[in-house]
Amino acid sequence: IEHQKTQTAIVLGDENLLIPVMNSLNESVKDFNITMGLSLRNSMLFTLIDSLFELQRNLVEFKTEDGGTVKIPKFSHRQVVKVLNHPFLRRWELMKYQANEEQKFLNPIRKTLQEITDRNRVFLSSKELAEISENDPMFEVLFKHWNNKPQNAIKCFYELIDLLRDVYKENQDAIETEYLFQFYLILQRMDGILENRKDTVAMRSFKVFLYEFIKQTKIPFESETDESLQIMGMLETRTLDFERLIILSVNEGTLPMTNRQNSLIPFDALTDPQFKLPTHRHADAVMAYHFFRLLQRAKEIVLIHVLPSDTYGAGEKSRFILQIEHELAKVNKNITLTYPTVKFIEGKNKLREETCLEIHKTEDILKFIEKSICEKGIYPSHFNQYVQCSLQYYFSKIAGIAEAEEVEEKIGVDTFGNWIHKTFENIDKEFVDNGGVVEKEDLENVLINRSR
C-alpha cells in the first residue's frame, strides 16, 4: 500500500485485518492515525490463555479393566511443548535471557524442550517439570494444576501477568504491556463475580464468561488526528469525508456481514408488528447507509475484494459493488469504473528453481562404504533406502545427518526393527562364541527363558 499526500482513508470491512494492514504499509508511510481498537481476542496473549486451558483439560486418561477411566495428574508432552514454544513466551524468553550468553541456550525452557526430546518424555507431572527447570517461577505458574477450580485459574493468571509484565515493562513494549493491563482488568471483574457466587460457577462456565469478556475488550490507539492517512473501521467513518478511499474486504459476508441474529428472541417475535424490534435487515440497512454516504464526496475509490478461493475472507463480491455497477453508475455519469486485477508476479516472490544435487563418489566415500559393509554387513533397510533415494542414503548413513528427534508415544517401526536386530545379534553372538550350531529348539528355549 503506497501513501500519497492526499486525505486518504483505509477502511477495514474486516477489523481483523488491522495488523496485516499495518505491516503492509510502504516504508515511506511514517505517520498515520488509527481510529479503531485492536481486539484482545486477536492477540497472542489470548492464544496463550487458550493453550493453558487446553493444557489443563488434556490430562492423562487411562482405561480401567471395568471399562471406566482414571485421570492421572500429568500433562501431555504435546501441550507442554505448545505452551513453551508460544510466541508470547518465546519473546519473553529472549528478553529475559538475551544478556547472558550461557542462559540464552541453556535456560529452563530450552532445557525442558531438550529433555522431552532426548529422553522421550511423553507425560510429565508438575513436580517433574519443576525439577527439570530447577524450580523456575514461570514453570510453577504455567504447570500448576487448577483442580477444576476457577479461583485457582485466576490466581495462576495473576501470577503470570506479574512475571510477564516486569520483562515487557523494561523493554518498553507498549502493545504487549497494554494487553496484560486489559487482561488484568478482566480478571478483576471475574474475581468479583466469583466472590459473590462462591463455588457455584463451574470451570466450563468460567471459561465461557472469560472468553466473552476478552471478545468485547479492545486495545485503544492514541495518535494525531490530522494525519493525511487514516485507518479505521466502517462504523468509525460516520460523518467523515475523504478524497481517496481504500475499502478492504468488500466481499459478501463481510460487507455486509452474514445474516446472523445474536438474540434469544425468536425471529418471528422480532418481526411482529406489535413489537417492531430491529432484525439483521436493520443492521444491513445501517451498513449500506454508512457505505454509500462514505462514497459521496470521494474523488478516488478503491474497492478490494477477494475472488472465490480457499483464501481467508474469499467469496462472492459484495452486493454493494453490484449496486454501484448496475444502479449507481447508470444514474451518475461522472462515475468511471475500472477492474484492475492484482496477481502475484514473478520477481522477488518467485520460488527458486529446483537444482539437481549430485554427490560424486570419491575414494574416501568408497572406503567408508566398504568399511561399513565389512564390519556391519548389508542391512535390507539400508539397501532399500539406497534404491529409493541415493541422496537420502548418503546424508543419513555416510554424512551422518540425522533427522530431528520426535517424541514417540508408541513404539515406532524403526525402533521395533532396531530392537529385533539387536536381539537376533545377541542370540547369534552367544551361540557363535560357544562354537555351536543354532537349531530351532535352541531358539525356542532362549525365547522362553528370556520371556520369563
Side-chain angles (χ1 to χ4, degrees):
I1 299 174
E2 296 183 356
H3 179 39
Q4 295 183 0
K5 295 299 181 181
T6 57
Q7 193 62 34
T8 304
I10 300 177
V11 183
L12 308 183
D14 182 1
E15 296 187 358
N16 295 327
L17 295 177
L18 178 58
I19 297 297
V21 167
M22 291 172 61
N23 293 328
S24 302
L25 292 175
N26 193 281
E27 294 180 357
S28 62
V29 182
K30 298 181 179 179
D31 299 319
F32 55 90
N33 182 52
I34 300 175
T35 58
M36 57 185 293
L38 180 61
S39 176
L40 187 61
R41 185 73 163 74
N42 299 324
S43 68
M44 281 295 176
L45 179 59
F46 171 74
T47 58
L48 176 60
I49 295 166
D50 189 56
S51 297
L52 291 177
F53 272 103
E54 189 176 358
L55 177 76
Q56 295 289 331
R57 182 174 60 87
N58 289 317
L59 296 179
V60 184
E61 290 188 2
F62 291 100
K63 291 186 178 181
T64 58
E65 294 181 357
D66 57 358
T69 57
V70 58
K71 286 189 176 182
I72 297 178
K74 286 192 174 186
F75 302 110
S76 169
H77 73 96
R78 296 179 182 273
Q79 306 306 324
V80 173
V81 171
K82 182 179 179 180
V83 169
L84 294 181
N85 279 328
H86 189 275
F88 211 90
L89 274 180
R90 191 81 176 90
R91 190 170 182 185
W92 171 86
E93 174 195 353
L94 293 174
M95 291 177 180
K96 186 175 178 63
Y97 299 108
Q98 64 183 353
N100 192 323
E101 289 294 332
E102 293 183 0
Q103 287 187 333
K104 185 182 292 186
F105 302 102
L106 296 175
N107 61 69
I109 293 180
R110 296 301 109 195
K111 286 172 61 178
T112 304
L113 294 174
Q114 186 176 352
E115 173 77 9
I116 291 173
T117 304
D118 292 347
R119 299 189 59 186
N120 208 73
R121 304 290 291 272
V122 180
F123 302 111
L124 301 101
S125 64
S126 298
K127 184 178 179 180
E128 291 170 337
L129 288 166
E131 291 175 354
I132 297 172
S133 64
E134 298 178 357
N135 297 318
D136 186 82
M138 179 61 76
F139 277 69
E140 294 181 4
V141 172
L142 293 175
F143 303 111
K144 183 186 298 181
H145 291 286
W146 297 347
N147 297 323
N148 212 29
K149 293 183 179 180
Q151 291 84 355
N152 294 340
I154 288 183
K155 183 180 178 181
C156 167
F157 289 138
Y158 275 139
E159 295 173 353
L160 180 62
I161 289 174
D162 290 337
L163 291 173
L164 295 175
R165 182 176 54 189
D166 294 338
V167 175
Y168 280 109
K169 187 185 296 184
E170 293 178 1
N171 289 270
Q172 297 181 350
D173 288 277
I175 294 181
E176 283 79 1
T177 305
E178 188 66 25
Y179 284 154
L180 295 172
F181 176 69
Q182 293 294 335
F183 184 51
Y184 175 77
L185 296 179
I186 292 174
L187 289 178
Q188 284 187 320
R189 294 177 64 184
M190 292 299 303
D191 205 1
I193 294 173
L194 294 177
E195 184 67 25
N196 295 330
R197 295 182 176 271
K198 301 301 179 183
D199 297 330
T200 59
V201 179
M203 179 60 75
R204 181 176 297 181
S205 302
F206 166 74
K207 181 181 177 182
V208 173
F209 294 147
L210 180 65
Y211 280 26
E212 187 62 30
F213 281 140
I214 291 175
K215 181 180 178 181
Q216 297 174 3
T217 303
K218 291 189 176 182
I219 309 298
F221 287 93
E222 295 181 3
S223 57
E224 299 295 332
T225 57
D226 58 349
E227 300 294 345
S228 57
L229 177 61
Q230 306 286 326
I231 301 176
M232 57 183 62
M234 182 59 70
L235 296 180
E236 283 80 18
T237 62
R238 287 172 289 190
T239 72
L240 298 178
D241 295 309
F242 300 93
E243 295 180 22
R244 186 170 185 243
L245 283 172
I246 302 174
I247 306 179
L248 307 182
S249 300
V250 191
N251 282 80
E252 195 67 23
T254 304
L255 276 180
M257 296 183 65
T258 53
N259 297 336
R260 55 183 181 184
Q261 191 70 36
N262 296 324
S263 175
L264 297 176
I265 303 174
F267 183 77
D268 292 339
L270 292 173
T271 56
D272 193 299
Q274 183 178 354
F275 302 110
K276 297 181 180 180
L277 295 174
T279 63
H280 64 268
R281 297 171 184 169
H282 178 263
D284 289 351
V286 170
M287 185 60 67
Y289 170 77
H290 289 316
F291 180 84
F292 286 104
R293 204 226 65 82
L294 180 63
L295 308 185
Q296 264 186 332
R297 296 179 177 86
K299 298 178 181 178
E300 180 184 357
I301 302 167
V302 180
L303 303 179
I304 300 176
H305 66 92
V306 184
L307 296 176
S309 65
D310 295 333
T311 309
Y312 169 76
E316 296 295 330
K317 58 184 179 182
S318 173
R319 69 189 75 168
F320 296 157
I321 296 180
L322 297 177
Q323 286 179 298
I324 294 173
E325 291 174 335
H326 301 292
E327 296 179 7
L328 190 58
K330 293 181 179 180
V331 176
N332 189 346
K333 300 301 180 181
N334 294 324
I335 294 178
T336 303
L337 299 178
T338 58
Y339 299 89
T341 302
V342 179
K343 296 181 179 180
F344 290 103
I345 59 176
E346 294 184 358
K348 293 183 178 180
N349 296 326
K350 183 179 179 180
L351 297 176
R352 295 180 178 179
E353 295 182 358
E354 295 185 2
T355 57
C356 182
L357 179 61
E358 294 183 359
I359 305 295
H360 298 283
K361 294 179 181 179
T362 63
E363 291 185 6
D364 293 336
I365 293 178
L366 292 174
K367 288 180 179 179
F368 182 88
I369 297 175
E370 183 178 351
K371 181 181 178 181
S372 177
I373 293 175
C374 293
E375 293 180 356
K376 301 180 180 179
I378 300 177
Y379 292 93
S381 57
H382 294 183
F383 187 75
N384 289 333
Q385 185 182 42
Y386 178 81
V387 173
Q388 292 174 1
C389 181
S390 58
L391 276 177
Q392 186 179 5
Y393 175 83
Y394 168 79
F395 286 127
S396 61
K397 300 301 182 293
I398 299 176
I401 301 175
E403 297 181 2
E405 293 186 10
E406 296 182 357
V407 178
E408 293 182 350
E409 298 183 6
K410 297 181 179 179
I411 184 170
V413 176
D414 55 344
T415 305
F416 183 76
N418 292 335
W419 177 71
I420 290 291
H421 277 288
K422 195 66 178 176
T423 302
F424 287 156
E425 184 179 341
N426 291 337
I427 294 175
D428 184 63
K429 186 178 180 181
E430 179 181 340
F431 282 97
V432 170
D433 290 344
N434 296 331
V437 180
V438 182
E439 300 289 347
K440 178 181 178 182
E441 293 77 10
D442 297 328
L443 287 176
E444 291 178 350
N445 293 331
V446 170
L447 294 175
I448 293 173
N449 294 331
R450 296 197 177 185
S451 63
R452 294 174 180 175

